[in-house]
Amino acid sequence: MCDRLIEEGHEVLALDTLITGSRRNIEHLLKEQRFEFVEHDVCTPLDVTGDVDRVFHLASLASPVFYLKHPIETLESGSTGTRNMLELAVRRRARFLLTSTSEAYGDPLVHPQAETYWGNVNPVGLRSCYDESKRYAEALTMAYNRVHGVRTNIARIFNTYGPRMALNDGRVVPAFIDQALRGAKLTVFGNGSQTRSFCYVSDLVEGLLRLSESDEREPVNLGNPAEMTILEFAELIRKQLGDEQGIEFRDLPQDDPKKRQPDISKAKRILKWEPGISLEEGLAKTIDYFKERVNAELEAV
Ligand code: UDP
């Protein structure tokens, strides 16, 4: 997102606690006059000098591994963090975009998921820290829109992947690539029949920027509708990386959604957006990045 905004000539102030993020990912931008990075928690109020046109609130732990480890921080960035960023947008008369999630649909009973579906969320389960704080964040965003007239957008992001994800992120794309590159077994949770569909990061960024230009205040799904089972995905990774080690089946985590596929008709209609990068192409770029990182790590040992 920062790369795209800088490329387009904007001034960007990026905030991150680096609880899961990495300074390495923005190092190349630090030489840019128009880019500034501040290690800051959105849960602490912030004021900014100069004009502010847009507030993009992307801050959250998003990997189940990390939000299960840091549930309170996850709840806080969705609640207090969203409130602080909305307040900033109101004070500075900026537009506001919230990145919400397909987890708002929980373990969905409707397939594929359209924005009109209200979801099937366990409010007290292990994933509730993420699901419910994002649902609260959506409600808060709508309330600020109605009460303060701030121009808001809500993106519901489905599984997204790409270079610069952490090697230990734990989500299935980085997990399988990392395991295959190290010659370890691919850890498939449950019997692998649960489905997901994977969107390449640059497609998602394009969708977010288009949404931020639109007047649509109700949620819009952004994701790639090409659905597959996790077992099929494991086989694809083994095919691409020649993994000899095979697969290790592990217990399915609590409330792990059994089926997930975005209905992106709304994004197609109002944003003229749909993903353009195939899984093969996106995986090739991601694998190149991971190869470099894993090799650098192995050499350092
Ligand atoms: N998964 C898996 N092995 C892993 C990591 C994830 O089988 O090492 C499965 C997980 O159970 C889920 C799917 O892959 O069904 C996607 O998981 P991820 O953590 O990427 O994101 P989620 O879609 O659950 O938010």
Side-chain angles (χ1 to χ4, degrees):
M1 180 68 124
C2 292
D3 279 346
R4 261 299 289 272
L5 293 171
I6 288 294
E7 230 173 76
E8 288 177 10
H10 301 290
E11 281 177 42
V12 178
L13 170 65
L15 312 173
D16 198 328
T17 56
L18 301 180
I19 187 171
T20 55
S22 164
R23 203 175 276 272
R24 177 199 311 275
N25 288 346
I26 44 105
E27 219 145 47
H28 60 290
L29 289 172
L30 294 174
K31 61 179 186 318
E32 298 283 347
Q33 286 279 323
R34 289 178 284 107
F35 182 80
E36 190 185 349
F37 173 70
V38 179
E39 199 171 323
H40 178 89
D41 187 343
V42 287
C43 300
T44 307
L46 168 96
D47 210 357
V48 179
T49 50
D51 293 338
V52 181
D53 303 316
R54 295 273 196 284
V55 177
F56 294 106
H57 177 32
L58 292 88
S60 181
L61 295 109
S63 160
V65 173
F66 288 130
Y67 62 68
L68 297 186
K69 201 157 137 202
H70 302 284
I72 298 174
E73 288 86 345
T74 306
L75 281 155
E76 275 292 289
S77 57
S79 54
T80 311
T82 303
R83 178 113 200 230
N84 286 336
M85 292 301 104
L86 279 161
E87 284 291 334
L88 176 67
V90 171
R91 271 198 316 276
R92 309 311 298 272
R93 296 178 193 282
R95 295 183 62 149
F96 176 88
L97 181 140
L98 171 72
T99 53
S100 184
T101 169
S102 56
E103 287 278 331
Y105 302 118
D107 189 4
L109 304 175
V110 166
H111 192 75
Q113 296 79 52
E115 294 84 349
T116 44
Y117 177 50
W118 291 352
N120 175 41
V121 172
N122 176 352
V124 292
L126 289 172
R127 297 172 88 104
S128 63
C129 58
Y130 187 61
D131 304 9
E132 293 293 22
S133 65
K134 289 289 191 179
R135 286 167 68 100
Y136 172 82
E138 290 191 6
L140 195 63
T141 302
M142 292 305 291
Y144 267 73
N145 175 285
R146 291 177 181 125
V147 174
H148 295 291
V150 54
R151 289 173 74 181
T152 56
N153 307 110
I154 299 173
R156 287 197 182 136
I157 300 178
F158 285 66
N159 296 61
T160 297
Y161 72 99
R164 301 201 187 131
M165 291 180 96
L167 300 181
N168 68 346
D169 178 278
R171 277 173 285 186
V172 71
V173 178
F176 284 0
I177 297 176
D178 189 61
Q179 288 161 349
L181 289 175
R182 290 174 204 267
K185 286 187 172 155
L186 305 193
T187 53
V188 170
F189 299 161
N191 62 11
S193 63
Q194 69 273 33
T195 67
R196 295 293 188 275
S197 54
F198 302 104
C199 183
Y200 189 67
V201 60
S202 59
D203 279 335
L204 179 80
V205 169
E206 178 64 31
L208 290 175
L209 292 177
R210 285 192 193 198
L211 179 59
S212 78
E213 295 300 319
S214 90
D215 287 327
E216 180 57 46
R217 64 177 192 163
E218 302 276 338
V220 178
N221 287 341
L222 294 178
N224 191 320
E227 185 188 17
M228 58 170 55
T229 69
I230 293 302
L231 200 53
E232 283 166 348
F233 181 61
E235 294 302 344
L236 182 70
I237 292 289
R238 294 181 68 202
K239 209 169 89 196
Q240 292 226 358
L241 287 171
D243 174 51
E244 298 299 319
Q245 309 299 316
I247 287 173
E248 178 186 320
F249 289 93
R250 293 204 183 153
D251 289 345
L252 190 68
Q254 188 192 41
D255 297 329
D256 196 293
K258 286 180 271 306
K259 270 166 116 34
R260 182 184 288 158
Q261 182 194 31
D263 177 336
I264 59 165
S265 324
K266 184 171 177 183
K268 277 187 182 164
R269 192 177 69 248
I270 64 173
L271 308 178
K272 307 278 174 273
W273 175 87
E274 65 183 308
I277 310 265
S278 69
L279 186 57
E280 285 67 23
E281 196 183 337
L283 274 182
K285 290 178 204 258
T286 311
I287 289 169
D288 281 350
Y289 172 82
F290 271 71
K291 273 188 182 154
E292 210 174 284
R293 298 292 316 129
V294 169
N295 287 340
E297 216 173 72
L298 293 175
E299 274 165 24
V301 174

